[in-house]
Amino acid sequence: MAGAKKQRRAIDGILIFDKPLGMSSNQALQKVRWLFNANKGGHTGSLDPLASGVLPLCLGEATKFSQYLLDADKAYITEARLGMTTTTGDAEGDVLEIKPVDISLEQVQARLPQFTGDIEQVPPMYSALKHEGQPLYKLARAGETVERKARAVTISQLTILGLEGDRLQLEVHCSKGTYIRTLVEDLGAALGCGAHVASLRRSIAGPFDLSQSVTLKALEALHAEGGPEALDHLLLPMDSGLEDWPVLELTEQTAYYLNHGQAVRVPGSPAFGKVRLKDAEGRFLGIGEMTEDARVAPKRLLRFNA
């Protein structure tokens, strides 16, 4: 029938996508969904269009567990341009101020401890955070500035990779919610010359890194050769982002009761926390959480028949 809507596939798994520059996280998701012809998908936290790198994308039932990747730690490689501040904190914004740069490696190294560990950041105006229902970046584009509360973040590692003239390369390992633009701006202010992010690449998201990622070019080449099915081998298991969680093996009977919303006792259960649930054949069934009376309660389950 002419004009009939294409039937999407029910396919489940996680793709570690190497997001290219100039593409929003949502554009990346929709492109990957189209290539896989997947019926459902979700990303695991936005990566700015001016940033590239690791963006785990969840397809199908894997979207049920995307929140846990959203909460995961991240790592970035960034190049800061010293001596220039911009309206957005990155290369996309208008120049605010230019200062001469005469900064040594030792001067930068001496400032890093104040930006390492548990610190507070004031989110930038050019961010997706909302103020009275409006994204801050929309207010910023309209010329408005509103007060933002400082937020606690953790920077577990901050390493200098190089310094050439006004270009400073850094590697940052941080908690969710960390703004690299804010870190670079604050470091530039501490150095007395100002700075903005010239380039940004995410190297790690949770347990995933660039070595596991797939480029758009590679996806398109495989799709051109064999259609959506040619991409399926690139998907990681739905629980691959939860590999540090304990695994509990369910019998057919305990799986049945869990699937009907009941908490059950499972031998070998930990005292507390969340667990991965699998059947006797090792198939992932979903996640559960320990209750105070040492039973496992269903938290997020896949559609399965036990």
Side-chain angles (χ1 to χ4, degrees):
M1 177 180 169
K5 191 173 181 180
K6 185 178 180 182
Q7 185 67 35
R8 296 259 188 176
R9 297 194 299 156
I11 184 165
D12 310 310
I14 300 175
L15 179 79
I16 312 307
F17 187 52
D18 185 350
K19 189 190 81 64
L21 293 172
M23 179 179 276
S24 72
S25 294
N26 189 58
Q27 287 171 332
L29 171 63
Q30 299 312 321
K31 181 66 174 179
V32 167
R33 274 190 66 201
W34 181 85
L35 288 167
F36 275 88
N37 192 30
N39 64 352
K40 187 166 69 168
H43 62 68
T44 56
S46 295
L47 195 55
D48 289 346
L50 284 182
S52 66
V54 176
L55 180 66
L57 298 174
C58 298
L59 299 181
E61 288 282 272
T63 57
K64 290 182 174 180
F65 315 104
S66 60
Q67 179 62 43
Y68 303 103
L69 287 171
L70 181 66
D71 293 340
D73 290 349
K74 314 288 192 304
Y76 299 87
I77 305 295
T78 186
E79 180 176 271
R81 182 173 177 182
L82 304 177
M84 181 185 292
T85 55
T86 71
T87 52
T88 58
D90 58 27
E92 190 177 43
D94 296 329
V95 175
L96 288 173
E97 188 176 19
I98 297 177
K99 290 184 177 182
V101 177
D102 184 17
I103 302 293
S104 68
L105 201 61
E106 291 73 23
Q107 286 175 297
V108 178
Q109 191 67 57
R111 291 292 185 180
L112 296 190
Q114 74 187 82
F115 299 104
T116 307
D118 297 329
I119 65 170
E120 288 198 336
Q121 283 190 332
V122 176
M125 275 300 299
Y126 282 87
S127 66
L129 294 178
K130 291 187 176 181
H131 173 77
E132 296 179 353
Q134 280 289 322
L136 288 178
Y137 67 82
K138 285 190 176 181
L139 298 175
R141 286 172 184 164
E144 296 183 46
T145 300
V146 298
E147 186 177 351
R148 288 96 64 204
K149 289 184 178 179
R151 304 197 310 176
V153 298
T154 301
I155 297 181
S156 55
Q157 183 179 323
L158 183 56
T159 307
I160 300 172
L161 300 180
L163 174 62
E164 294 182 18
D166 63 355
R167 303 288 176 153
L168 172 66
Q169 291 81 39
L170 297 168
E171 181 176 2
V172 186
H173 291 247
C174 55
S175 65
K176 73 163 187 174
T178 301
Y179 285 96
I180 305 302
R181 283 176 291 151
T182 300
L183 171 65
V184 166
E185 286 184 310
D186 291 348
L187 176 58
L191 291 168
C193 62
H196 72 269
V197 169
S199 67
L200 183 63
R201 184 157 173 78
R202 185 190 280 166
S203 55
I204 297 173
F208 307 119
D209 61 37
L210 280 169
S211 69
Q212 299 163 282
S213 66
V214 186
T215 64
L216 178 59
K217 186 176 180 180
L219 289 175
E220 289 177 330
L222 284 170
H223 186 274
E225 289 177 10
E229 291 79 8
L231 308 178
D232 291 356
H233 71 282
L234 298 171
L235 291 178
L236 299 180
M238 286 181 282
D239 63 333
S240 56
L242 312 173
E243 289 189 347
D244 57 339
W245 291 21
V247 175
L248 291 184
E249 183 180 308
L250 303 182
T251 64
E252 186 176 341
Q253 185 179 35
T254 53
Y256 174 85
Y257 286 117
L258 271 172
N259 200 34
H260 286 77
Q262 297 182 42
V264 297
R265 295 190 187 277
V266 179
S269 298
F272 58 88
K274 295 183 178 65
V275 294
R276 284 185 287 162
L277 306 172
K278 296 195 174 186
D279 65 14
E281 297 174 1
R283 289 177 300 191
F284 179 56
L285 303 176
I287 61 175
E289 188 164 18
M290 300 307 302
T291 65
E292 291 183 356
D293 59 353
R295 294 189 298 169
V296 182
K299 185 78 175 174
R300 293 289 277 173
L301 300 180
L302 301 176
R303 293 190 298 269
F304 67 94
N305 296 312

